Amino acid sequence: MKETFKKGNEFKIDSISLDEWKSYRDLRLDSLASDPQSFAAPLKKYSNLDENGWKEKIKKCLSKNNAMFIANSSDGPIGMMGYYPEGNDTVNIYGVYVKKDFRGQGVSDKIMESILNSLDNNEEIKFIKLTVNKEQKAAIDFYKRFGFEEVGE
């Protein structure tokens, strides 16, 4: 799926593959360094992973009821979002991140649409959850636009 930025640049959203381990690494490390309050994992946990470690992370994304979507532009990877199973009928969205220079241009919307479309045909999944820092008002508003509701702390 190709999309166009408001500034005229194009980006493409795809499910991650093992070949994209460097893109995933770069996005994950960038997200943990630039927005540590948004993620439960500390940068230190991921900064020493080698190629095999990153590929193992991606293999988990490729297993049943797991996914990771990457947005790529001509500048390289610019955003990501994934989900993993939680019980038999629930998935949890995680790793929501768009590089600062590309925020406000619809990238996260298109990645979320890809996530939701991938789950539409999965009859096993009845619930979609996520966790967000209550101080991140823009993120909360983003999720509400997609129909998510606050259910507690």
Side-chain angles (χ1 to χ4, degrees), residues 40-126:
L43 176 61
K44 187 176 182 178
K45 177 180 177 180
Y46 289 90
S47 57
N48 293 322
L49 285 178
D50 62 8
E51 178 178 345
N52 288 331
W54 286 106
K55 285 183 175 180
E56 285 302 314
K57 296 263 180 219
I58 291 173
K59 284 179 186 176
K60 289 180 185 176
C61 297
L62 300 174
S63 61
K64 184 177 180 189
N65 290 336
N66 284 265
M68 175 58 69
F69 289 85
I70 301 280
N72 285 293
S73 76
S74 59
D75 295 324
I78 59 172
M80 67 180 181
M81 187 181 309
Y83 60 84
Y84 62 87
E86 190 172 293
N88 294 325
D89 62 355
T90 304
V91 294
N92 198 326
I93 292 178
Y94 77 103
V96 179
Y97 179 71
V98 173
K99 287 185 173 183
K100 289 184 181 186
D101 290 346
F102 298 93
R103 293 180 187 172
Q105 300 181 46
V107 177
S108 57
D109 286 4
K110 295 301 179 187
I111 303 173
M112 180 63 84
E113 288 170 9
S114 295
I115 292 270
L116 298 176
N117 288 338
S118 77
L119 291 169
D120 274 348
N121 297 324
N122 189 331
E123 295 179 10
E124 295 176 25
I125 303 303
K126 307 289 184 231

Side-chain angles (χ1 to χ4, degrees), residues 35 37 77 82 91 93 95 130 144:
D35 293 309
Q37 73 284 357
V91 294
I93 292 178
L130 55 86
K144 285 182 176 180

